[in-house]
Amino acid sequence: MQPRLSILTPVLLLSVVLAGCDCSSGGFPTRSCMTTADCPEGQFCLDGVCTPEDDPDEDAGPDEDCIDEDGDGYGEGCRRGADCDDTDDTQTGTEVCDGVDNDCDGASDEGVISSCGDCDPSCIGDGIGGDDDPFDPEREDSDGVGLDDDGALILDSRRINTNFIWIANTGQGTVSRFDTTTYAEVGRYFTGPAGASNDPSRTSVNTLGDVYVGNRAGNTVSRISVLGADCPDTNGDGTITTSSDATFLTWGQDDCVLWNTNLEAHMPGERHIRAVAAQDVEGLDGTLQEFVWVGGYDTQMIAKLDGVTGEVLLVTPAPARTYGFALDGLGNLWISTRDADRIGRVDTTRCVDAATCAGAVCDGEGAGDTCIKQTIAAPHLPYGITVDFNQRVWIGGSSGSSPRVPRFARYDPTAAAGSRWITVPVPLGTHVINGIAADAEGWVWGAGHTGGGVVRIEADNPTNWASVAGTIGHSCKGMAVDADGKIWAITQSDRAIVITPGVGIDEYSVDLEVARSIVTPYTYSDMTGLQLRLATNPRGYYRHVFEGCDGASSTGTDWGDLRFNAETPAGTDVTFRVKTADTREALDAADFILIATVPPDLSPISIRDAFLAMGITPGRFLMVEIGLRAERSSSTEVITPRVLGVDVTHTCPPLIE
């Protein structure tokens, strides 16, 4: 494996010491002499200290036979020993911490620097990465990252933590949260003030795991937190009250329901909110800007809401009647319709307010690709919609009327205009493919309605498809992919079907008895959030807690530098955020501050200076977040940054009695 830190690399060591050593308030250890000439009469220079000639040390002092050309006390016949270079008084043959090769072996300060890589013996260094303390992406404080063959931290979308699925109980007016590992229901919540009449259907899960639910009745949207017992006290009664199983609380009593926004003033007369899409945009300070896009089917309007507050930020006419939404990595919001054989597109990076969204809608491929809003003819009537990792848009649906022929279709925006669609008929005896989902392994999954079961398609070769044995006969509505790559099909017979895929198209296992507590579900959008994360610009993070001084023998912890070894190819970056507190509990509640973005920042970064600038008092514990990000260099290619190691330094100022 490669070296964990650049500060341990011999070529860089001298520059680090010269630039960063903070020893006894200077660049080098305090020295009272450089040569014997600097000492009073009767003394000679011994390891930088003027020493009396009658010092009892038998190695001390010159003698009559000593040949010491440079006056450093070392030389031929000298009691202190031979000099490795008698023309240079810094090369004495004995290594001291001064940034110089004292023993003429080609390296500086070996064996005498502190664990921080400098000349301060009180400095303590601790690190992660490499053989001694390798990164562990399996830990809970990790999301969207993995390891390469060298043990370096890299982006890996297959490791995104989406361990919950949100299933709308449409006939009950609630949404259920299931643990995708244990299959246990861990919460159920009313989705709006209309109770059983909310008519929830579309769900979309953001990066944090929270769900946005669109209510087709009442013209409202709600956000519900994934945190369970750790939700905020939203109703202000002094306790955290929330559901923990299939039971649910009266509207307004569950603290995990963060907000509910009524859109009547913005989409007057809307009866069917049929499209919802979470969008998390990373800001310059490393924090996420949270939004949610909502589509009205009757009014043919789109609203953008602040994901944190629920405030409506803009409302604009849709380029096509909204039935379903899916976002890609370039910020395009793709729209499935049910009133015509077409799809729509909105560039959300340019449609940011009423004025910028007001331009004409372009119709067709080619020249229309540069427009903010666009409609595109589709080969059949769409239903569910998704975007795969390679930025290709997929729709379910059907063609014909009596009988209808279920179909998949794939639209590749990077192909030449006129050759972007590939259509796949799937004669299952069902009238439509409803929900559709793409996984990280190159497969697309479709929900066959009216007993069609589940269909599996090879994304790069759509003509290679097969029905999943054991699912035929079940009327499937929604499709989703969980953190472990399992496929969830939500049926209209109050159950979920869970498929564990193998490598080949006919390799899998099927569990038909999952989520038997759901009630008349009519849901088929992104229920886990994995779909969004696979299709958009990849990002991940790794967090580690460093422990400083115990306080029994020191006045606290003085956090010093953060040092790192990272590689950031063009289009990628690495961010470092930190927070501190005296206890682990307080640390969890503290806020991160951004201290470095690479590029352009270079190692080392002063944590001490960052805390001082923000007025933050250092605590015993320090959490470091390593954020990895990548912009797609094309519609399909993603290059990941690499982090080989991170070190943090600190000192423990002693108690003064």
Side-chain angles (χ1 to χ4, degrees):
M1 295 176 61
Q2 298 188 30
R4 189 177 73 191
L5 288 171
S6 59
I7 60 169
L8 301 181
T9 306
V11 174
L12 300 178
L13 182 58
L14 177 59
S15 62
V16 170
V17 173
L18 292 178
C21 184
D22 182 18
C23 311
S24 302
S25 74
F28 301 116
T30 301
R31 306 183 65 165
S32 59
C33 63
M34 293 293 292
T35 70
T36 300
D38 297 329
C39 297
E41 185 177 354
Q43 296 185 12
F44 68 98
C45 190
L46 174 61
D47 293 339
V49 178
C50 291
T51 306
E53 292 185 0
D54 59 353
D55 189 282
D57 186 341
E58 65 178 3
D59 293 328
D63 57 24
E64 296 177 355
D65 298 324
C66 175
I67 301 175
D68 182 8
E69 298 292 342
D70 54 13
D72 59 8
Y74 293 86
E76 183 179 351
C78 298
R79 293 176 182 173
R80 299 182 64 196
D83 196 336
C84 63
D85 184 350
D86 211 17
T87 66
D88 184 345
D89 60 10
T90 66
Q91 293 186 308
T92 63
T94 300
E95 200 67 38
V96 295
C97 195
D98 58 1
V100 176
D101 176 19
N102 307 111
D103 58 4
C104 309
D105 65 354
S108 303
D109 296 344
E110 70 275 17
V112 294
I113 59 174
S114 71
S115 59
C116 298
D118 62 21
C119 300
D120 184 356
S122 67
C123 187
I124 302 168
D126 191 10
I128 51 174
D131 292 327
D132 293 338
D133 189 4
F135 293 112
D136 180 12
E138 300 292 340
R139 61 189 301 168
E140 291 184 1
D141 284 337
S142 170
D143 189 28
V145 294
L147 300 180
D148 65 10
D149 292 340
D150 295 319
L153 205 61
I154 59 172
L155 287 166
D156 186 348
S157 294
R158 292 169 298 179
R159 293 184 177 273
I160 295 169
N161 291 332
T162 52
N163 295 317
F164 296 99
I165 187 170
W166 300 83
I167 302 173
N169 300 298
T170 307
Q172 191 184 62
T174 66
V175 64
S176 291
R177 179 167 61 96
F178 284 85
D179 186 312
T180 57
T181 302
T182 65
Y183 301 163
E185 184 169 2
V186 291
R188 186 173 296 208
Y189 317 87
F190 271 127
T191 61
S197 300
N198 288 314
D199 199 22
S201 174
R202 308 308 194 267
T203 59
S204 186
V205 179
N206 68 7
T207 303
L208 302 176
D210 294 354
V211 69
Y212 300 102
V213 185
N215 294 303
R216 292 182 299 179
N219 202 0
T220 70
V221 181
S222 294
R223 176 175 176 170
I224 304 173
S225 173
V226 73
L227 296 178
D230 293 322
C231 285
D233 182 13
T234 52
N235 58 23
D237 63 1
T239 60
I240 307 303
T241 308
T242 187
S243 171
S244 60
D245 51 27
T247 59
F248 48 93
L249 305 178
T250 303
W251 175 252
Q253 297 302 306
D254 197 307
D255 285 314
C256 287
V257 181
L258 302 182
W259 52 257
N260 174 261
T261 296
N262 192 306
L263 295 173
E264 184 62 27
H266 307 279
M267 300 179 182
E270 180 58 60
R271 295 172 299 134
H272 297 98
I273 291 177
R274 292 190 180 272
V276 179
Q279 183 180 41
D280 295 328
V281 179
E282 196 153 11
L284 296 177
D285 62 352
T287 60
L288 291 178
Q289 298 173 311
E290 302 171 36
F291 305 110
V292 58
W293 294 83
V294 182
Y297 185 78
D298 301 299
T299 58
Q300 300 187 56
M301 301 295 287
I302 296 175
K304 179 183 180 182
L305 279 62
D306 185 307
V308 176
T309 66
E311 176 188 0
V312 178
L313 302 177
L314 72 86
V315 179
T316 185
R321 190 182 294 273
T322 60
Y323 201 77
F325 283 161
L327 277 157
D328 70 14
L330 301 177
N332 291 305
L333 182 68
W334 295 92
I335 303 169
S336 168
T337 70
R338 286 292 291 160
D339 66 340
D341 293 358
R342 61 178 176 166
I343 61 174
R345 181 188 62 82
V346 177
D347 183 349
T348 67
T349 67
R350 294 188 290 162
C351 177
V352 295
D353 53 33
T356 55
C357 298
V361 176
C362 297
D363 186 24
E365 303 172 18
D369 299 341
T370 62
C371 296
I372 294 178
K373 293 179 180 178
Q374 180 185 20
T375 58
I376 301 164
H380 63 255
L381 189 65
Y383 206 100
I385 188 169
T386 194
V387 179
D388 68 19
F389 182 79
N390 289 314
Q391 303 301 281
R392 298 169 298 199
V393 183
W394 292 79
I395 57 173
S398 61
S399 62
S401 56
S402 182
R404 292 182 176 180
V405 178
R407 290 178 179 267
F408 283 89
R410 189 189 79 186
Y411 180 78
D412 185 350
T414 65
S419 61
R420 295 177 177 177
W421 284 105
I422 294 178
T423 304
V424 184
V426 283
L428 301 174
T430 177
H431 73 275
V432 65
I433 295 294
N434 283 187
I436 186 170
D439 66 20
E441 305 300 329
W443 301 97
V444 175
W445 305 79
H449 197 243
T450 318
V454 177
V455 181
R456 184 180 190 179
I457 290 183
E458 185 179 351
D460 289 337
N461 178 22
T463 59
N464 183 27
W465 68 272
S467 295
V468 176
T471 67
I472 301 298
H474 291 275
S475 184
C476 298
K477 196 68 178 176
M479 298 298 305
V481 184
D482 70 18
D484 297 319
K486 299 191 300 296
I487 312 303
W488 289 65
I490 311 304
T491 76
Q492 291 192 278
S493 57
D494 297 346
R495 77 175 72 204
I497 299 173
V498 176
I499 302 164
T500 303
V503 176
I505 193 168
D506 293 319
E507 298 177 28
Y508 46 76
S509 62
V510 177
D511 190 339
L512 299 174
E513 299 297 323
V514 181
R516 294 309 306 269
S517 57
I518 56 180
V519 179
T520 55
Y522 188 90
T523 183
Y524 50 89
S525 44
D526 186 6
M527 293 170 271
T528 64
L530 186 66
Q531 203 70 62
L532 174 68
R533 295 284 297 272
L534 286 175
T536 54
N537 285 332
R539 58 178 174 263
Y541 66 82
Y542 188 93
R543 293 171 180 165
H544 185 83
V545 176
F546 295 91
E547 184 172 355
C549 315
D550 59 16
S553 58
S554 69
T555 59
T557 303
D558 184 8
W559 295 104
D561 289 339
L562 182 144
R563 300 171 177 176
F564 54 85
N565 187 356
E567 298 173 1
T568 52
T572 72
D573 63 42
V574 175
T575 59
F576 292 98
R577 299 197 302 166
V578 297
K579 60 181 179 177
T580 186
D582 284 326
T583 66
R584 289 299 301 267
E585 293 75 14
L587 185 67
D588 291 337
D591 294 326
F592 279 110
I593 62 169
L594 179 69
I595 65 169
T597 300
V598 186
D601 295 326
L602 302 174
S603 179
I605 299 296
S606 176
I607 303 171
R608 179 189 297 109
D609 290 350
F611 283 164
L612 184 63
M614 296 293 293
I616 296 173
T617 301
R620 177 179 177 180
F621 295 94
L622 179 82
M623 179 178 284
V624 175
E625 178 191 82
I626 309 167
L628 284 72
R629 303 184 295 192
E631 297 291 334
R632 294 177 182 273
S633 57
S634 67
S635 64
T636 61
E637 186 177 12
V638 176
I639 300 173
T640 180
R642 302 173 73 237
V643 179
L644 287 87
V646 173
D647 263 16
V648 168
T649 70
H650 72 275
T651 57
C652 301
L655 291 171
I656 300 176
E657 298 181 355

